[in-house]
Amino acid sequence: MHIYFLLIRIAAIFGHKKAQKMVRGQKDSWEQLQRIRLGREQNGEQWIWCHVSSVGEFEQARPILERLRDRRDAGATSPKVLLTFFSPSGYEMRKGYDKVDMVTYLPFATRRNARRMLDMVAPQQTLFIKYEFWPAYLNELKKRNIPTYIIAAIFRKNQLFFRPWGRWYLNLLRCFTRLYVQDEASRDLLNRYHIANVSVAGDTRFDRVTRIAAESKDIPLAQMFKNYANPLDTDAHPAVVIVAGSTWQPDEQLLARYLRERTDVKLILVPHEIHEERLHSVFQQFEGRLVRYTRASERNIGQCRVLLLDTMGMLSSIYKYADVAYVGGGFGAGIHNTIEAAVWGVPVLFGPKYRKFREAEGLIQAGASFSVKDYEEFRDRMDEAIANRQTMGQAARQYVQSELGATEKIYKQIF
């Protein structure tokens, strides 16, 4: 670990932007944690500590954090909440999150830092989300008998814990007061290694996306785009609309080719990155047959087949305008969030790298999704999803509904 953190500092010296943010964030975090110490010593404040890696894990923590804030807003006595991030991208996106009392970077996980940080915060309880296993912190928390939980965890036989050379890492799991896992397979695997303090609670993201959908706002330009007849459709029927979210270039290549072949289809495209260089690449891929959301109007939105979202924060709501959804990332590191599309009751397609995502496998098993590995499969499966969008969409909605309730299960047991 020391070598890893040293390499981050060296990278920062040589101008690596992400590393520089992490190193600056480390300094700032100690100043913030000192304020917690002063509040405890002067005012008797008590704290709960929640740690996430990045944005995805934050979304899993969020329903629990908001449940805690709801309790305090209702007048109940409740500790303050500290939220820490490891990832600069996660911290930068959520540093203004107002449902907790402080947001900081996690100090680099050395034994010295762990002791110093826990001396300052002295949390009443600690929550880790999904895949966060920092030995220095977990061992120190156990030594101090601080109740420590992991939420929405998922375990597979090929993980380091269960390798012959990873047994030392397996012992870290014994530091948790209780492990809340997503599925029975994870519990059974842990039980085989004599870890019995395990509860199957599910994934809190299902509660989160359902709440987002219930609170979503209408997007008039998107509705207008959907209602307009396709400019290439001589029968002037409203077009079938694909909403493609968190896309990368390989995803967009499939989509652009498909639109050239099916003139009755329109596309709302939400790239994973929206800086100008990236948007220019998208413009070239679709040969200019698009309008950017920030430049769309009643006059021009009916003249294009692609609406390009070049703003942040709209994806979860834009899926409501889909007949079929496509979720990007499956030709790279792994697919993005499929359930924020499925909650709207639409079929969901994605690339081949989905095996680490339980919800994607669940959607396929429910008959609500397809995975595709090349253009021919994409074309055939997209055609099938469009033709059967009502049946597949209902299956998607039912699957999401069947997975609700993790937040309340965990909250009641811990708090």
Side-chain angles (χ1 to χ4, degrees):
M1 287 295 179
H2 287 274
I3 294 174
Y4 174 61
F5 299 133
L6 176 61
L7 290 174
I8 291 175
R9 290 190 171 95
I10 292 172
I13 292 171
F14 285 94
H16 190 283
K17 292 183 179 180
K18 186 174 180 180
Q20 288 175 337
K21 287 181 179 180
M22 293 182 77
V23 172
R24 286 197 301 268
Q26 293 292 306
K27 180 179 178 181
D28 294 341
S29 68
W30 290 118
E31 295 175 0
Q32 291 176 287
L33 295 173
Q34 179 61 24
R35 295 204 297 272
I36 292 181
R37 182 202 287 273
L38 293 174
R40 286 197 309 104
E41 293 175 350
Q42 296 175 3
N43 305 317
E45 294 174 353
Q46 295 182 336
W47 288 78
I48 292 171
W49 171 31
C50 177
H51 175 65
V52 302
S53 176
S54 191
V55 177
E57 292 78 13
F58 167 75
E59 289 299 317
Q60 290 174 303
R62 192 167 179 168
I64 301 291
L65 300 176
E66 293 182 356
R67 186 77 170 78
L68 287 168
R69 177 49 66 98
D70 289 344
R71 181 173 72 176
R72 191 193 304 179
D73 290 345
T77 302
S78 180
K80 292 188 172 184
V81 178
L82 165 68
L83 174 65
T84 59
F85 282 88
F86 180 75
S87 161
S89 58
Y91 174 78
E92 291 298 328
M93 287 186 67
R94 300 303 182 190
K95 61 186 178 183
Y97 181 58
D98 62 359
K99 298 297 183 181
V100 298
D101 300 278
M102 185 176 289
V103 183
T104 74
Y105 279 91
L106 177 73
F108 288 151
T110 64
R111 284 182 290 180
R112 181 173 179 270
N113 282 351
R115 289 193 295 267
R116 184 184 176 193
M117 187 266 198
L118 293 175
D119 284 344
M120 288 179 163
V121 180
Q124 303 296 300
Q125 294 164 302
T126 297
L127 312 177
F128 288 82
I129 310 299
K130 196 172 183 179
Y131 288 138
E132 288 299 276
F133 306 101
W134 294 105
Y137 281 106
L138 288 173
N139 286 323
E140 192 65 27
L141 286 161
K142 184 177 181 181
K143 189 183 300 182
R144 298 181 186 217
N145 294 315
I146 296 173
T148 302
Y149 307 93
I150 191 160
I151 292 171
I154 192 162
F155 295 94
R156 300 176 183 84
K157 288 186 290 186
N158 63 353
Q159 289 172 312
L160 177 61
F161 307 104
F162 312 112
R163 300 287 190 177
W165 55 86
R167 296 301 172 85
W168 65 271
Y169 207 52
L170 179 66
N171 286 329
L172 289 178
L173 303 183
R174 307 185 198 282
C175 295
F176 290 105
T177 307
R178 181 154 290 274
L179 298 93
Y180 290 95
V181 299
Q182 293 188 27
D183 57 18
E184 294 182 2
S186 295
R187 180 188 60 192
D188 294 344
L189 181 59
L190 293 171
N191 287 171
R192 287 203 295 273
Y193 288 86
H194 308 291
I195 298 174
N197 53 329
V198 184
S199 296
V200 179
D203 187 346
T204 52
R205 283 183 305 161
F206 287 91
D207 301 321
R208 173 66 186 154
V209 299
T210 300
R211 181 168 178 173
I212 290 173
E215 297 174 352
S216 70
K217 297 180 180 179
D218 293 336
I219 304 172
L221 280 174
Q223 185 65 61
M224 196 176 302
F225 177 78
K226 183 177 179 68
N227 289 345
Y228 265 111
N230 192 314
L232 297 182
D233 186 356
T234 56
D235 293 331
H237 296 305
V240 172
V241 174
I242 300 170
V243 174
S246 299
T247 59
W248 299 84
Q249 190 172 19
D251 306 303
E252 292 149 11
Q253 289 172 347
L254 300 179
L255 291 158
R257 183 174 174 182
Y258 189 73
L259 259 65
R260 287 195 293 269
E261 294 184 8
R262 282 204 56 165
T263 59
D264 60 328
V265 172
K266 294 167 69 175
L267 173 67
I268 300 178
L269 183 67
V270 191
H272 186 68
E273 297 176 336
I274 58 170
H275 54 79
E276 286 301 318
E277 182 180 351
R278 180 76 176 86
L279 294 178
H280 180 68
S281 172
V282 173
F283 188 84
Q284 290 181 316
Q285 183 74 249
F286 288 89
E287 301 169 348
R289 298 170 299 166
L290 55 76
V291 61
R292 291 172 59 160
Y293 179 82
T294 55
R295 299 174 184 175
S297 67
E298 293 184 21
R299 290 186 176 183
N300 63 16
I301 203 164
Q303 307 304 314
C304 64
R305 295 184 63 204
V306 182
L307 175 61
L308 172 63
L309 260 67
D310 55 353
T311 59
M312 297 287 290
M314 296 176 66
L315 178 57
S316 58
S317 293
I318 208 74
Y319 278 124
K320 76 165 75 174
Y321 301 101
D323 293 297
V324 177
Y326 178 89
V327 175
F331 290 90
I335 59 171
H336 295 282
N337 191 341
T338 55
I339 55 176
E340 69 177 349
V343 71
W344 292 104
V346 296
V348 185
L349 277 70
F350 40 80
K353 294 185 180 179
Y354 70 92
R355 296 291 183 181
K356 293 184 178 180
F357 301 88
R358 170 181 165 267
E359 65 278 8
E361 293 184 339
L363 285 166
I364 290 174
Q365 292 170 8
S369 287
F370 294 125
S371 171
V372 299
K373 63 180 181 297
D374 54 35
Y375 178 71
E376 287 69 26
E377 192 169 19
F378 174 89
R379 178 195 60 215
D380 294 344
R381 293 303 196 183
M382 184 61 77
D383 286 349
E384 188 175 347
I386 290 172
N388 297 288
R389 56 188 180 273
Q390 292 185 344
T391 302
M392 291 183 67
Q394 182 62 23
R397 191 186 304 277
Q398 289 174 349
Y399 173 71
V400 172
Q401 291 293 317
S402 73
E403 293 286 333
L404 297 177
T407 302
E408 199 62 21
K409 289 178 186 176
I410 295 167
Y411 179 84
K412 285 183 176 178
Q413 290 190 27
I414 296 179
F415 305 106

